[in-house]
DNA sequence: ACCTGAACACCGTTCAAGT
DNA sequence: ACCTGAACACCGTTCAAGT
């Protein structure tokens, strides 16, 4: 990985662009037009350089995306006041992560690009694990519990974000409506019964309810 | 969406390639080399045609991917014997979906491309919803519960699959090791304590445990 | 109705050379 | 040390024409 040159010496040509400038410009592009518009070529021209100059500051596009996520995490994750009760603390920490991620429309593509989100998220992970330990779990169980919460949270983001994009895009949403309107009540009675409430029901934000249930289940009987 | 021509008449040129042939070839490419190798151009040559011929049978690449997922679901989802107990039934139905998805390495890219997986998955959704209703939830609560289970399941797949790909790829895994070895026990005591067990702990398959906890939490006190 | 060829407007990345 | 230009090996999709 290329490093900024040591400041004690300036042995070669002085840099014209910096990692910070690259990431800053990348962030702007992504915020204004979405991740799919972020290309190395585009970024190069916006930063006032050539595509290949970028490769002197980042290894490849994937590294750029991870750096971008890190940058976002640093500025978006605000540590909340945490309740004393372990159960509520876990819910609060997970909710804080979830809120930061949900507010970031381009997160999905990057989420699926790395599982350890960012250094600045570790404090939240600590709160989750310690809350679960205080709730009665062993350390190992608490780490597993944290993973379960992370699965649930990441899944919620991915599924809801994708569904939202779909809806915004075009008429393909009618596929679901079509399927649900043609349900056989003999074969799939509950789905047929819920068919016309399905859209509003799944549009509701139930992250918190599901999270509470999960935490309750994880700590049940301890 | 283009349809196969009505068989009662053959008014124009006879088709040389079919939707089935396209999907079949696409499946082979994806199974052998991964989704990222599936391109319209590549697919066209493998199917013995030109890129543009494909657009007569599918709307665009995204539709192709959704058709591919559908095709996979039809052949991979096997309905299991379901236990009578509602709680266990929910766990069994979710586990069956999870197993089918987890066995499919290219699933992530397509998962994030549509939230209603496939018609053939509806039976499983029915089992989940009805299990939750019998477990004491209202129909609306049961639909929300199903969503929570789906978030958890999709998240598990996405996170674990991505982590696995990472590991296979290259040396970037050392990033996590580096972060975890440098933890400050004052600031993040639990994480520091779990640091050297982190890799094996997160490698364990704990889908089922987390699922049970979630279902237990959803049905708690009913 | 179905397919082809050529073109449009792009990609990420490598390599060799310049300052 | 840092940057440039040209090139490589691709993309998905549109359009106009052919059979």
């Amino acid at each position: 990985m290329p490093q900024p040159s040591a400041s004690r010496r300036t042995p070669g040509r002085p840099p014209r662009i910096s990692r910070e400038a690259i990431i800053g410009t990348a962030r702007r592009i992504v915020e204004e037009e979405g991740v799919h518009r972020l290309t190395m070529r585009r970024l190069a021209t916006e930063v006032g350089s050539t595509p290949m100059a970028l490769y002197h500051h980042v290894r490849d596009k994937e590294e750029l995306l991870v750096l971008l996520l890190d940058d976002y995490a640093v500025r978006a994750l605000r540590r909340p006041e945490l309740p004393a009760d372990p159960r509520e603390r876990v819910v609060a920490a997970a909710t804080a992560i979830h809120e930061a991620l949900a507010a970031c429309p381009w997160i999905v593509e990057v989420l699926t690009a790395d599982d350890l989100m960012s250094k600045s998220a570790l404090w939240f992970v600590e709160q989750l694990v310690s809350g679960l330990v205080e709730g009665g779990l062993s350390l190992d169980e608490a780490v597993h519990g944290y993973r379960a919460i992370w699965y649930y949270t990441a899944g919620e983001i991915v599924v809801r974000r994708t569904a939202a994009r779909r809806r915004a895009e075009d008429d393909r949403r009618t596929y679901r409506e079509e399927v649900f309107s043609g349900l056989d009540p003999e074969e799939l009675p509950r789905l047929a019964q819920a068919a016309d409430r399905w859209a509003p029901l799944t549009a509701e934000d139930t992250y918190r309810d599901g999270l509470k249930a999960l935490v309750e289940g994880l700590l049940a009987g301890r």
Side-chain angles (χ1 to χ4, degrees), chain A:
Chain A
M1 196 188 303
Q3 295 294 334
S5 57
S7 55
R8 53 192 172 85
R9 198 79 55 84
T10 48
R13 189 169 165 170
R16 297 159 81 88
I17 55 176
S18 66
R19 224 185 222 235
E20 288 70 46
I22 291 172
I23 293 174
T25 306
R27 185 173 69 236
R28 189 175 50 68
I29 294 174
V30 151
E31 273 166 7
E32 287 172 5
E33 307 187 38
V35 224
H36 66 285
R37 295 295 203 97
L38 179 68
T39 69
M40 300 302 269
R41 286 161 189 272
R42 165 88 185 273
L43 178 56
T45 57
E46 300 253 330
V47 91
S49 187
T50 63
M52 280 322 299
L54 301 179
Y55 287 86
H56 244 267
H57 300 267
V58 299
R59 173 206 283 234
D60 54 19
K61 196 181 178 182
E62 194 162 354
E63 188 183 271
L64 178 69
L65 289 175
V66 172
L67 290 171
L68 213 53
L69 180 59
D70 243 69
D71 174 71
Y72 177 79
V74 168
R75 67 187 73 226
L77 285 176
R78 292 275 155 263
R79 302 184 179 184
E81 292 286 320
L82 291 182
D85 177 68
R87 202 166 300 217
E88 284 171 31
R89 180 138 45 101
V90 170
V91 170
T95 303
I97 295 179
H98 179 258
E99 262 167 25
L101 294 183
C104 183
W106 50 272
I107 208 74
V108 175
E109 284 85 345
V110 186
L111 255 195
T112 62
D114 205 335
D115 63 328
L116 174 68
M117 227 187 73
S118 169
K119 259 186 209 182
S120 47
L122 288 177
W123 181 82
F124 293 85
V125 179
E126 172 74 21
Q127 304 314 313
L128 290 174
V129 172
S130 74
L132 292 171
V133 168
E134 280 170 49
L137 299 191
S138 74
L139 184 60
D140 287 17
E141 289 168 333
V143 173
H144 287 149
Y146 148 69
R147 295 282 286 184
I149 291 171
W150 176 235
Y151 295 155
Y152 172 72
T153 302
E156 202 266 2
I157 300 283
V158 169
V159 170
R160 287 182 72 85
R161 176 59 58 185
T162 308
R165 191 179 13 148
R166 280 272 145 173
R167 245 176 285 121
E169 249 171 33
D170 63 353
D171 49 304
R172 242 172 291 214
R173 74 209 133 124
T174 54
Y175 177 62
R176 191 176 71 177
E177 286 163 21
E178 184 199 314
V179 167
F180 268 78
S181 65
L183 288 179
D184 179 0
E186 297 273 305
E187 207 197 334
L188 305 169
R190 293 297 182 194
L191 297 190
Q193 197 184 344
D196 48 335
R197 289 211 296 295
W198 198 267
L201 278 175
T202 58
E204 279 177 52
D205 181 358
T206 55
Y207 172 77
R208 216 185 154 76
D209 291 339
L211 174 64
K212 277 184 186 159
L214 178 55
V215 173
E216 169 132 0
L218 288 170
L219 296 179
R222 318 275 171 162

